[in-house]
Amino acid sequence: MKYKDLIENMTLEEKAYLMSGKNIWQTQEIERLGIRSIFFADGPHGIRKQAAAADKLGLNAGLPATCYPTAATVANSWNTELAEKVGQYLGDEAISHKVNVLLGPGVNMKRNPLCGRNFEYYSEDPYLAGKMAASTIRGIQSRGISACVKHFAANNQEKRRMSIDSVIDERTLREIYLTAFEMAVKEGKTKSIMTSYNRLNGSYTTENMHLMRDILREEWGYEGTVVTDWGGSNDRVAGLLAGNELEMPTSRGETNEEIIEAIRSGTLKEEVLDECVDRLLDLIFTTEETFAKPHLEFHVERHHRVSQKVAEESIVLLKNDDHILPLKFGRKVAVIGDFAQNARYQGAGSSLVNPTILDHTLNCFEESGIVSIGFEPGFERYGKKNEEKIKKACALAEQADVILLYIGLDEDTEAEGLDRQSMRIPQNQIDLLDALYKVNPNIVAILSCGSAVEMPWIHKVKGLLHGYLGGQAGARSILRVLSGDVNPSGKLSETYPLRYEDTPSYRYFPGNEASVEYREGLYIGYRYYDTASVEVLFPFGYGLSYTTFEYSDVQVEKDRVTFTLSNTGKVAGMEVAQLYVGCPSGNIFRPKKELKGFKKVFINAGETKRVTIPFDDKTFRYFNVKTNRWEIEEADYEIMIGASCADIRLKAELFVEGTGAPLPYDKQKLPSYYSGKIDAVPVDEFEGLLGRKVPVSTWDREKPLGYTDTIEQCQYAKGFAGRFAFHAVVFAHWFLRRIGKRSTANLIMMTVYHLPFRGIARMTGGAINMAMVDGMLMMVNGRFWKGLFHLLTETRKKRSSRAWNTLRSER
């Protein structure tokens, strides 16, 4: 241990005291030993340090900070150097705001396009997500503070996220859902990791010994700190045994007492607690060193320009019929769409940033050189139909050479805590497009959203530019691409299916009441579409440019692939060259091809460059469930270089020596997985892949409700109080949406509806304790008066205890 001498001078009470927060955002301090409190802040794409009520959990406005493009946007740049630069600037701002630990990046896989938090995640591909995350982490931590990669692990939906059990076979878990975390640990050297709310194969991730001990600590050699998601602690002692050091937010001493009692009873060895204390102390002392040095306030304009640069490289040109873009000089443009007036530039929830500057499209036209003849909103932002707005928009469109139509998803559709209801954009926007198309077919659509959407209307636009969620400078960045000042170089980090029903997890998402089964296995995103030959709208890795690139002369060596890349067009540009590897032997089921490397290259018009993409430890490996190790199959591998996963320009073969491991599967028992056609996997086949029976996926409605049951489950409560509470929450949600308070309605779903009873204590920073929750559970389980008496008694006890502690501290 690094701090053995210091820990030997600590009392048992002090060690337990350190294991939960001081308040919502800070750790505890021990003045007599020089242990200071450190500050955590949300920050995947900007610092959200609350300006007010920082001691209370909530989504209060943060101090002004640069709002960079979200992870889903930055991933489209495929530029790891740019990601590292974003990390450096985030680190600088964190220091300016006196933040020790930045809660990000998020590297969960985009298993399904409806996940409400996809805008915070990089990709459907673990290799791309891992590389971008590792670079961001290196950038953040180069400033002396800590990144906190999240949410570990298999948190791929928001619905019932605090109680759902993710049922995943071991190989899929390792290859798809843990690889990006592995890269964050081994390549990014992250100092802290946040566990997720959900269960994984029956056990909450905070206390999952296989995940936390076998894989994270022993296999990956992780020596940093693990922190719970806010309110995510279930069994505190089990969490410590698994190596989850820090519980956030504060429990006001309640779980400290549980730790002390566990030590005294022998349930928890004090050496285990000492190890946890040692790792937390390392996070505290190494990040606090940074604040002992002089530092400057961050330069607002400079950081804004960096945000703009990132947005420019991340914009994806999806369609450009008749070379409608870039806009030719002097063409009269009608600007239509509410998002042009009020930019949609970030997601919603805990990552909401209060921007230092915010560019709006209508304020940036003069410098862009684009001639705008006027603006009309065209539609109501939150979906309400308005024929008058459509008429006005059409009248303006008739006078224009080109229509710039700004459409997308609103802030309350993509949000933490709830998943999207469909892949469609609101119907009132499609109605507007239909009407505009009749009066002027020269339409360029600018799409603003953080995840994939269906586009049955795409034939009605000549140009389509996807800005994703481009941060505070996104609006200006889009205009620079439209005008031709910037040549678009973004490529999709996720597949766009023709329709939601085509997605591999369509039948399995978001699961039943108690669990979600990952029956599609390895086949998420392009791995499925490619292998099962399912047509898509836009493939993974796709993106157009204002120039053209030619690939030639591929050469493969045992540790690299080299090829020539030429810009055959008339303007300079950047191309993302992608390395895919396939193993056609058929002995072990695999996707047809998998991303194993990439490089973004700037090339002037007419220039040629030689490009090398090295192989690494992940290029040929697969996880063997028989040996419980990463192995390499001896075979001839296809080495493919492409402009997207569907546009392979060069191919070669390479024989690779294997590790001699036994074949892990009986091919006859897993026909769906060997064919890749996993849209309807039978339960017995999935159980064959799992190696065990699938758990019951429905709630046991005969059992009394307990700590891990949710407010949603109160609809089945034996007591009237429980059923009343459920219907009250449902009514409040409906009523708030009805009167237009959509954000508040979403907050109810996020913080109440799917909240386990233990979360009432965990989320309130100790204001409500578990003894009070016991009273609530009695009430909902049919013992109303006994429960009410217990609740009131425990409330009085808590108040008396608090008053006594206050009096004692004053003396």
Side-chain angles (χ1 to χ4, degrees):
M1 294 192 299
K2 289 180 70 174
Y3 303 95
K4 184 179 179 181
D5 292 345
L6 181 60
I7 292 170
E8 286 176 350
N9 284 325
M10 295 172 69
T11 66
L12 174 58
E13 288 74 14
E14 285 173 330
K15 287 186 277 191
Y17 174 82
L18 276 179
M19 294 293 95
S20 68
K22 172 183 177 181
N23 51 37
I24 301 299
W25 301 109
Q26 291 174 283
T27 62
Q28 299 281 10
E29 60 207 350
I30 303 176
E31 289 185 15
R32 77 174 188 88
L33 296 174
I35 300 171
R36 300 181 63 181
S37 172
I38 62 172
F39 201 100
F40 291 76
D42 291 309
H45 58 270
I47 315 297
R48 191 184 76 86
K49 185 176 181 181
Q50 290 180 192
D55 62 334
K56 294 181 174 62
L57 188 65
L59 303 180
N60 302 298
L63 295 167
T66 309
C67 181
Y68 296 93
T70 66
T73 313
V74 179
N76 293 333
S77 76
W78 295 63
N79 189 333
T80 55
E81 292 178 2
L82 200 61
E84 187 162 346
K85 179 177 280 191
V86 171
Q88 292 167 356
Y89 278 71
L90 282 169
D92 288 338
E93 293 193 37
I95 291 171
S96 179
H97 285 298
K98 294 182 170 57
V99 169
N100 300 71
V101 181
L102 202 55
L103 301 175
V107 299
N108 296 97
M109 289 298 97
K110 296 185 181 185
R111 176 186 179 230
N112 186 284
L114 298 188
C115 175
R117 215 166 177 180
N118 274 353
F119 65 87
E120 278 192 57
Y121 303 140
Y122 288 107
S123 179
E124 67 187 31
D125 182 83
Y127 191 87
L128 175 58
K131 286 294 183 184
M132 297 300 286
S135 297
T136 303
I137 291 164
R138 284 195 296 270
I140 291 169
Q141 295 187 168
S142 70
R143 295 331 197 221
I145 65 159
S146 172
C148 185
V149 68
K150 60 185 186 181
H151 307 89
F152 189 61
N155 174 199
N156 307 105
Q157 65 187 63
E158 292 299 284
K159 188 172 185 178
R160 304 191 182 110
R161 63 176 177 167
M162 296 189 79
S163 61
I164 200 77
D165 183 11
S166 298
V167 182
I168 313 176
D169 71 279
E170 186 72 9
R171 183 179 170 202
T172 298
L173 176 66
R174 297 301 198 98
E175 292 189 19
I176 302 297
Y177 297 100
L178 294 186
T179 291
F181 285 103
E182 180 187 358
M183 295 166 79
V185 169
K186 292 182 176 179
E187 298 179 25
K189 309 291 185 187
T190 186
K191 292 181 180 179
S192 61
I193 291 176
M194 182 192 291
T195 48
S196 55
Y197 287 124
N198 56 287
R199 290 180 170 101
L200 172 61
N201 292 326
S203 173
Y204 280 102
T205 61
T206 56
E207 54 204 51
N208 190 306
M209 295 296 282
H210 179 55
L211 180 70
M212 299 281 289
R213 285 285 182 186
D214 299 344
I215 298 174
L216 178 64
R217 298 292 187 187
E218 294 178 18
E219 186 178 322
W220 297 351
Y222 180 65
E223 297 179 349
T225 300
V226 178
V227 57
T228 68
D229 202 340
W230 266 234
S233 177
N234 178 53
D235 182 322
R236 188 65 192 102
V237 174
L240 279 179
L241 284 167
N244 197 320
E245 283 81 23
L246 181 62
E247 174 193 22
M248 291 297 287
T250 181
S251 68
R252 293 194 184 176
E254 184 171 24
T255 57
N256 303 351
E257 293 300 321
E258 293 176 12
I259 295 168
I260 292 168
E261 177 58 33
I263 296 286
R264 288 173 176 163
S265 68
T267 307
L268 177 69
K269 292 182 179 179
E270 193 163 355
E271 303 91 84
V272 173
L273 176 60
D274 290 348
E275 288 175 6
C276 291
V277 171
D278 189 66
R279 289 191 287 258
L280 180 58
L281 288 176
D282 195 52
L283 180 68
I284 292 170
F285 288 133
T286 56
T287 58
E288 273 296 290
E289 286 175 4
T290 300
F291 296 96
K293 305 168 188 172
H295 66 272
L296 299 173
E297 294 299 310
F298 72 94
H299 192 285
V300 171
E301 284 287 348
R302 185 181 300 125
H303 284 229
H304 183 71
R305 287 195 295 273
V306 170
S307 180
Q308 179 179 319
K309 166 67 175 169
V310 177
E312 288 172 359
E313 273 205 42
S314 304
I315 291 168
V316 187
L317 179 61
L318 294 174
K319 187 176 181 181
N320 196 18
D321 288 357
D322 301 332
H323 299 287
I324 195 168
L325 294 177
L327 294 169
K328 295 175 177 59
F329 181 76
R331 300 200 81 180
K332 295 182 296 182
V333 166
V335 182
I336 296 172
D338 185 72
F339 294 119
Q341 186 175 41
N342 299 298
R344 173 81 205 288
Y345 61 96
Q346 64 174 324
S350 62
S351 66
L352 200 67
V353 178
N354 180 13
T356 54
I357 300 169
L358 183 56
D359 290 338
H360 287 291
T361 302
L362 300 182
N363 301 330
C364 299
F365 268 100
E366 188 173 337
E367 66 184 70
S368 72
I370 300 172
V371 180
S372 169
I373 63 169
F375 163 76
E376 286 292 341
F379 60 84
E380 299 278 356
R381 193 177 189 90
Y382 296 105
K384 186 178 178 181
K385 291 186 179 293
N386 189 320
E387 292 297 330
E388 187 61 30
K389 286 192 173 184
I390 290 178
K391 287 179 183 177
K392 289 182 178 179
C394 288
L396 179 65
E398 286 181 311
Q399 305 170 44
D401 297 320
V402 176
I403 300 166
L404 296 183
L405 178 61
Y406 284 76
I407 55 177
L409 299 175
D410 62 72
E411 293 82 352
D412 294 331
T413 299
E414 295 181 286
E416 179 183 353
L418 70 161
D419 297 317
R420 291 161 59 198
Q421 298 300 303
S422 77
M423 277 189 70
R424 298 183 294 274
I425 64 172
Q427 185 60 43
N428 66 338
Q429 297 182 35
I430 298 172
D431 292 343
L432 171 63
L433 173 58
D434 291 342
L436 292 172
Y437 182 71
K438 292 175 183 176
V439 300
N440 188 340
N442 293 322
I443 301 172
V444 174
I446 296 93
L447 194 58
S448 297
C449 55
S451 50
V453 295
E454 292 177 356
M455 301 183 195
W457 39 263
I458 194 168
H459 60 284
K460 293 185 177 179
V461 301
K462 287 188 176 180
L464 179 58
L465 201 66
H466 201 338
Y468 267 71
L469 301 177
Q472 63 184 50
R476 176 178 273 107
S477 303
I478 286 168
L479 285 175
R480 282 173 55 78
V481 171
L482 291 170
S483 68
D485 287 341
V486 170
N487 187 353
S489 62
K491 299 215 174 188
L492 293 176
S493 61
E494 60 186 320
T495 308
Y496 276 58
L498 288 168
R499 57 186 192 135
Y500 177 60
E501 290 77 8
D502 292 337
T503 58
S505 57
Y506 166 67
R507 294 180 186 272
Y508 319 123
F509 179 94
N512 209 326
E513 293 172 331
S515 65
V516 52
E517 297 168 8
Y518 286 53
R519 290 200 195 187
E520 72 278 7
L522 300 173
Y523 299 101
I524 75 166
Y526 73 89
R527 285 168 166 78
Y528 166 67
Y529 301 114
D530 203 31
T531 307
S533 300
V534 176
E535 186 182 357
V536 300
L537 181 62
F538 296 115
F540 175 81
Y542 174 86
L544 301 175
S545 171
Y546 293 152
T547 189
T548 53
F549 298 96
E550 184 179 283
Y551 294 69
S552 62
D553 191 20
V554 63
Q555 293 181 356
V556 178
E557 299 174 53
K558 65 178 182 179
D559 62 347
R560 72 190 68 188
V561 59
T562 307
F563 54 95
T564 298
L565 187 60
S566 302
N567 183 339
T568 54
K570 297 181 179 179
V571 293
M574 287 182 279
E575 172 70 339
V576 179
Q578 301 157 41
L579 164 65
Y580 295 90
V581 174
C583 181
S585 79
N587 292 325
I588 303 165
F589 71 81
R590 300 172 185 259
K592 187 176 180 180
K593 66 171 78 79
E594 296 180 279
L595 182 75
K596 297 296 182 180
F598 57 90
K599 194 163 230 182
K600 192 164 193 176
V601 186
F602 175 83
I603 312 181
N604 285 310
E607 186 182 10
T608 293
K609 287 187 176 180
R610 195 74 179 154
V611 180
T612 297
I613 300 179
F615 301 151
D616 60 23
D617 63 325
K618 297 168 188 65
T619 305
F620 304 108
R621 74 177 190 175
Y622 75 96
F623 192 82
N624 188 304
V625 293
K626 273 192 176 178
T627 64
N628 196 38
R629 290 176 47 185
W630 293 100
E631 306 283 4
I632 296 174
E633 180 185 359
E634 187 166 294
D636 290 311
Y637 288 79
E638 291 184 335
I639 308 300
M640 295 163 271
I641 302 296
S644 78
C645 78
D647 184 12
I648 300 301
R649 305 289 183 89
L650 302 169
K651 287 186 179 182
E653 277 195 0
L654 179 67
F655 174 77
V656 178
E657 292 183 3
T659 50
L663 294 177
Y665 305 113
D666 182 342
K667 190 173 184 178
Q668 303 305 314
K669 293 181 180 179
L670 301 173
S672 302
Y673 297 104
Y674 273 87
S675 69
K677 296 177 180 178
I678 44 69
D679 53 316
V681 178
V683 66
D684 59 339
E685 188 177 348
F686 182 51
E687 288 178 341
L689 184 68
L690 275 176
R692 62 184 185 277
K693 286 288 185 182
V694 171
V696 176
S697 62
T698 54
W699 293 316
D700 186 345
R701 298 175 189 179
E702 298 303 314
K703 286 175 61 177
L705 296 176
Y707 292 142
T708 60
D709 294 314
T710 65
I711 308 303
E712 181 187 15
Q713 288 172 259
C714 283
Q715 61 187 296
Y716 308 122
K718 289 182 172 63
F720 169 76
R723 297 192 300 275
F724 177 80
F726 167 77
H727 289 294
V729 170
V730 170
F731 174 78
H733 178 261
W734 171 84
F735 181 73
L736 287 166
R737 287 185 68 87
R738 186 69 181 247
I739 63 173
K741 301 286 186 180
R742 290 161 53 101
S743 295
T744 308
N746 288 349
L747 196 61
I748 284 178
M749 297 301 287
M750 180 173 77
T751 60
V752 180
Y753 189 74
H754 294 306
L755 187 70
F757 276 89
R758 62 167 167 77
I760 298 172
R762 303 295 193 230
M763 283 289 203
T764 55
I768 297 173
N769 62 24
M770 293 299 284
M772 294 159 71
V773 172
D774 287 337
M776 297 178 191
L777 283 168
M778 290 179 200
M779 293 168 70
V780 302
N781 283 318
R783 294 180 291 167
F784 180 82
W785 295 111
K786 184 176 181 180
L788 180 61
F789 178 76
H790 184 88
L791 176 61
L792 294 174
T793 301
E794 292 299 329
T795 302
R796 282 195 297 270
K797 282 183 184 177
K798 189 167 183 61
R799 286 176 179 168
S800 299
S801 174
R802 191 179 303 165
W804 168 248
N805 288 334
T806 302
L807 181 63
R808 187 170 60 179
S809 65
E810 287 174 352
R811 287 177 178 175

